[in-house]
């Protein structure tokens, strides 16, 4: 493990500032792989607890591929789905909006509304 990675892991564990912890968790989660065991699991669990702020940060940065990965960590309720869609729209992340709409249709449907143009 690189020295800077170890320093980030230590900073994540010792910091009391959530914005710092979230930034480190997002960076390290996507650097590590499941075989990294405890570290990967620690960041995964943290991101599940801080799901909405993590998704917001990724949408703001327009990192749709990472949004897709994070989305798969846990189940999402219809209310959460609508909140995520609103965030994607707020940050102009069209790719995330389209992907989330497809997930919404797949998981919850649109209540029988005709969506044709």
């Amino acid at each position: 493990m690189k020295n800077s990675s170890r320093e980030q892991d230590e900073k994540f564990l010792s910091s009391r500032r959530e914005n710092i912890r979230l930034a480190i968790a997002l960076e390290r989660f996507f650097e590590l792989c499941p075989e990294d065991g405890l570290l990967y699991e620690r960041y995964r669990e943290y991101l599940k607890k801080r799901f909405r702020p993590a998704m917001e940060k990724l949408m703001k940065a327009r990192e749709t591929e990472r949004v897709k990965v994070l989305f798969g960590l846990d189940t999402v309720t219809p209310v959460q789905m609508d909140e995520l869609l609103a965030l994607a729209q707020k940050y102009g992340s069209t790719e995330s909006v389209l992907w989330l709409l497809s997930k919404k249709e797949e998981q919850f449907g649109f209540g029988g509304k005709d969506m044709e143009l």
Side-chain angles (χ1 to χ4, degrees), residues 37-68:
L38 183 61
L39 276 176
Y40 178 84
E41 192 60 33
R42 180 178 292 145
Y43 290 121
R44 182 180 167 286
E45 287 304 312
Y46 177 80
L47 291 172
K48 282 174 69 172
K49 290 177 187 168
R50 302 280 295 149
F51 182 75
R52 187 188 177 285
M55 291 292 272
E56 182 171 8
K57 192 169 183 73
L58 293 174
M59 286 178 193
K60 192 173 185 178
R62 297 185 181 188
E63 295 195 38
T64 304
E65 291 307 311
R66 289 184 171 192
V67 164
K68 292 175 184 180

Side-chain angles (χ1 to χ4, degrees), residues 5 7-30 32 38-51 53-55 57-58 70:
S5 298
E7 289 170 6
Q8 281 186 305
D9 295 334
E10 290 171 5
K11 190 172 185 176
F12 173 80
L13 292 172
S14 65
S15 180
R16 295 181 193 269
R17 294 183 53 200
E18 286 301 319
N19 61 334
I20 291 172
R21 294 186 81 211
L22 181 60
I24 292 170
L26 281 170
E27 183 178 336
R28 294 291 288 141
F29 176 77
F30 289 105
L32 297 169
L38 183 61
L39 276 176
Y40 178 84
E41 192 60 33
R42 180 178 292 145
Y43 290 121
R44 182 180 167 286
E45 287 304 312
Y46 177 80
L47 291 172
K48 282 174 69 172
K49 290 177 187 168
R50 302 280 295 149
F51 182 75
M55 291 292 272
K57 192 169 183 73
L58 293 174
L70 204 59

Side-chain angles (χ1 to χ4, degrees), residues 32-115:
L32 297 169
C33 61
E35 290 77 30
D36 288 314
L38 183 61
L39 276 176
Y40 178 84
E41 192 60 33
R42 180 178 292 145
Y43 290 121
R44 182 180 167 286
E45 287 304 312
Y46 177 80
L47 291 172
K48 282 174 69 172
K49 290 177 187 168
R50 302 280 295 149
F51 182 75
R52 187 188 177 285
M55 291 292 272
E56 182 171 8
K57 192 169 183 73
L58 293 174
M59 286 178 193
K60 192 173 185 178
R62 297 185 181 188
E63 295 195 38
T64 304
E65 291 307 311
R66 289 184 171 192
V67 164
K68 292 175 184 180
V69 171
L70 204 59
F71 185 88
L73 291 182
D74 209 357
T75 55
V76 175
T77 67
V79 172
Q80 288 171 318
M81 180 66 82
D82 290 340
E83 289 174 356
L84 292 174
L85 279 162
L87 284 174
Q89 289 172 332
K90 175 181 175 181
Y91 294 114
S93 183
T94 306
E95 190 176 348
S96 290
V97 169
L98 294 173
W99 185 79
L100 287 167
L101 282 171
S102 73
K103 294 306 282 184
K104 181 176 181 173
E105 180 180 29
E106 178 183 305
Q107 292 180 0
F108 310 113
F110 289 109
K113 296 179 184 172
D114 184 10
M115 300 302 271

